Amino acid sequence: MKLSEKIEVPELDELRVARLERGIVAQLASMPPAASASSTRIWKGAVALAAVAGVVLAIVLNLRGSQVELLGRFPNVGETTKVVTGPGQSSQLVLGDAVVGLGADTQLGVERFTDGRILLHLEAGAVHCEVAPRNERPAFQVVSGDVRVSVIGTGFDVERSEIVEVRVQHGIVAVQTSHEDVRLKAGQQWQGSPDAHRELAMLLQERQATRAQQAALDASDKQATGKDEHHDAGKHNKGTRHDAGVGQGVTKGSSSTKTDAQLKAMGPVKLSEILKSAKPLPPIFKKSQDPAIANLQEVSATNPKAAVKQLEALAAKLTGDDASFAMYSRAYLLFFKLHDNDAAVTAANQYARRFPRGAEAEDMLWLRVRASCESNRSSTCRAAAHTYLRNYPEGIFKGLCSRIVETTSAD
Amino acid sequence: MTDTLLVDRCRQGQEEASRELFRLYQKRVHATLFRILGASSEMDDLMQESFIQVFRSLHNFRGESKLSTWIDRITVRVALHHIRKRQSTPTPVEEPEKLGASSPSHGSQVASREGVRRLYEALAQLPPASRIAFALHEIDGRSVAEVADIVGSAVSATKLRIWRARRALMKIAASDPVLAELLDEGQSSETGEGDQHEAQ
């Protein structure tokens, strides 16, 4: 039996339909009358005329409300025109010798420079461009996130969703990203991430931090066994997450110029490489105010299994921050000391359920990603990375999780 | 009454025509939203949003495609917006322990319902474009070409999205017997159908 036959769509009862109908009709009555297609065409004509006459475009087409408005004055060169289409709507712009078709639900910025160069910023949606061969003409480029498409003379589409897609109907375009530079001919298409630069930059920065953080972990181990107790811990703790705060010591000190140069040399990144570059999470014992938890530091160094059991009992007994620390520490020991990935995932889940907004919730979600990935369960790993990204779209491990999602989906 | 006449009357602001258009297409819009999103407490809001967008955009309808296809495109856009909005707000962590809680032994109907619930839980983990392409093709039963037309993508990109979604779901299903059962039953006939679509 097909999925479509297994999934039944429930019937809408008459009352519900009637209520919906009333709501929609009431909302329509309160809306301004829609602009007719002909009036839209008139404005489009005006836009084309303005472009042909060499006047810089300065209109804002807000088609969401079915209205075409001319807002303010024509701007000076260097100003950006914002063009927005709503669901089910499309539009067309004439920019000198270029015609740009906008698909539904598109957000486009049009920028024009003194030298005549035209730059389109595609924030969302899709554009189709018909552009005369550039040769001596000013450049025509479409930028979408990290991706820059330069026209050499062509008709092409650029579409942005989670990925950026470039499709060439005729002619040639050049596609550039921070780590790729390709030329596409008619019939060819290209796909890439709009955030590749940011993701790779984050990966590189985290790589740079790995050594320092490994040292911090080693120092912590030494501390636990009584060696170099004060000296090493003080020296390396700057690199750890809990002592330095989120992201500190990870993102500091890497200039963008250096990053760019190194990024180009990096090439494609694999899942194993991502995990290798991931910084370890620091132990947490010293943060707890509860002496029972703090004392477990010593136990964990000699008998981590016993420490895990005691932490489980403490977590059940304690509340608030101390319980949070106990659960976190338990997951940490399971993963880093006992290398029990499954138990670590379960412990991280238990933490996340009990403290969904806890101070260590982000670390726990990341630990779940790492433990799943190191178990070589790519679907679970990818799902965990998705969950992390959903909960912490701007989190410190965003770059790594994005790469995991990309890498595992491309294998 | 033909679609063109109905659209013209709606454009003129005739309330009765708007009501008629709603009654004609409400089931279709609801089914499309349901198959993409599964059961949702926001279904009524989404239906309302879809129809408001339809009426707002009617002046752009040029009759180049069927009215139903044009409405589908708008509905899919509304669903896409909804998915993206949901993904940008923090959601509770799923509980893998619960996955083994029920089993097919509870009865095939319950298992099937549970399988559907897990399917949509798994779909929520996919990129929105893949999720929509998969839902329209595999759950709504549309051809790849039709899906590509509705979502405004190339057929090749749509095929790739469906394939990626299917593969991702199979991976999730590897550790979820209830979901695996649902997909397995759907898979036997779907694989052949997928090949047919590819040949189109």
Side-chain angles (χ1 to χ4, degrees), chain B residues 15-26:
Chain B
E15 187 184 306
E16 196 43 50
S18 304
R19 287 181 185 275
E20 195 173 335
L21 190 143
F22 170 78
R23 282 179 216 140
L24 275 174
Y25 290 98
Q26 48 95 2

Side-chain angles (χ1 to χ4, degrees), chain A residues 225-246:
Chain A
T225 52
K227 291 172 190 172
D228 299 322
E229 193 170 350
H230 302 296
H231 177 72
D232 279 350
K235 184 176 162 188
H236 294 298
N237 273 346
K238 279 179 189 167
T240 66
R241 189 154 148 64
H242 294 279
D243 292 281
V246 177

Side-chain angles (χ1 to χ4, degrees), chain A residues 104-142:
Chain A
D105 222 11
T106 296
Q107 293 174 34
L108 184 74
V110 182
E111 199 173 358
R112 199 160 198 178
F113 296 86
T114 43
D115 58 2
R117 187 159 53 98
I118 291 173
L119 191 58
L120 304 184
H121 300 268
L122 181 64
E123 306 296 336
V127 289
H128 171 80
C129 307
E130 284 291 338
V131 189
R134 302 325 283 166
N135 299 327
E136 301 300 315
R137 294 185 173 92
F140 185 101
Q141 297 177 317
V142 183

Side-chain angles (χ1 to χ4, degrees), chain A residues 1-12 16-25 27-29 31 34-37 40-41 44 63-67 86-90 104-105 124-126 159-163 165 167 189 191 345-346 349-350 352-353 356-357 365 368 378-380 382-384 386-387 389-391 393 405 408-411, chain B residues 15 18-19 22-23 26-27 30-31 34-35 43-45 47-48 51-53 55-57 59-60 62 70 74 77-78 81 84 86-97 112 116 119-120 124-130 134 138-141 151-154 156-157 160-161 163-164 167-168 171-172 174-175 182-183 185-190 193:
Chain A
M1 190 188 284
K2 291 179 191 175
L3 270 181
S4 53
E5 290 162 5
K6 286 188 77 83
I7 298 176
E8 271 181 41
V9 179
E11 285 282 319
L12 285 173
R16 196 169 157 198
V17 173
R19 197 175 58 236
L20 274 167
E21 187 179 322
R22 275 198 307 276
I24 290 165
V25 169
Q27 217 170 319
L28 285 176
M31 275 166 45
S36 68
T40 308
R41 277 196 293 273
K44 282 178 189 165
L63 298 175
R64 279 191 191 282
S66 303
Q67 288 177 321
Q89 298 170 329
S90 58
D105 222 11
E159 183 180 352
R160 179 173 181 169
S161 50
E162 306 85 37
I163 54 170
E165 271 182 56
R167 297 182 289 271
Q189 64 180 50
Q191 292 183 344
V345 169
T346 307
N349 281 329
Q350 285 167 350
R353 275 202 302 278
R357 293 289 171 267
L365 287 190
R368 209 168 67 124
S378 59
S379 61
T380 320
R382 188 166 170 262
H386 260 297
T387 305
L389 290 170
R390 232 181 19 239
N391 285 279
V405 169
T408 52
S409 66
D411 60 19
Chain B
E15 187 184 306
S18 304
R19 287 181 185 275
F22 170 78
R23 282 179 216 140
Q26 48 95 2
K27 270 190 187 169
H30 176 243
F34 186 88
R35 287 186 173 124
M43 186 57 76
D44 285 5
D45 289 345
M47 280 189 73
Q48 193 155 327
F51 276 103
I52 293 297
Q53 294 292 354
F55 288 118
R56 275 182 167 175
S57 313
H59 66 277
N60 282 332
R62 292 186 294 270
W70 185 78
I74 293 178
R77 285 283 168 185
V78 169
H81 268 273
R84 285 187 176 147
R86 288 283 298 269
Q87 284 189 341
S88 66
T89 49
T91 49
V93 182
E94 73 267 32
E95 299 179 18
E97 286 82 359
S112 173
V116 172
L119 171 67
Y120 280 102
Q125 297 175 36
L126 307 185
S130 287
F134 178 87
E138 302 274 1
I139 304 175
D140 211 11
V151 300
S153 275
S156 55
L160 189 67
R161 283 176 179 145
W163 178 75
R164 279 182 175 166
R167 192 188 52 177
K171 282 183 180 175
I172 295 171
S175 56
L182 181 83
L183 292 176
E185 284 182 23
Q187 199 64 35
S188 53
S189 52
E190 284 301 303
E193 196 181 319

Side-chain angles (χ1 to χ4, degrees), chain A residues 144-158:
Chain A
S144 188
D146 185 37
V147 182
R148 180 180 291 262
V149 184
S150 301
V151 173
I152 295 159
T154 190
F156 65 101
D157 300 329
V158 183

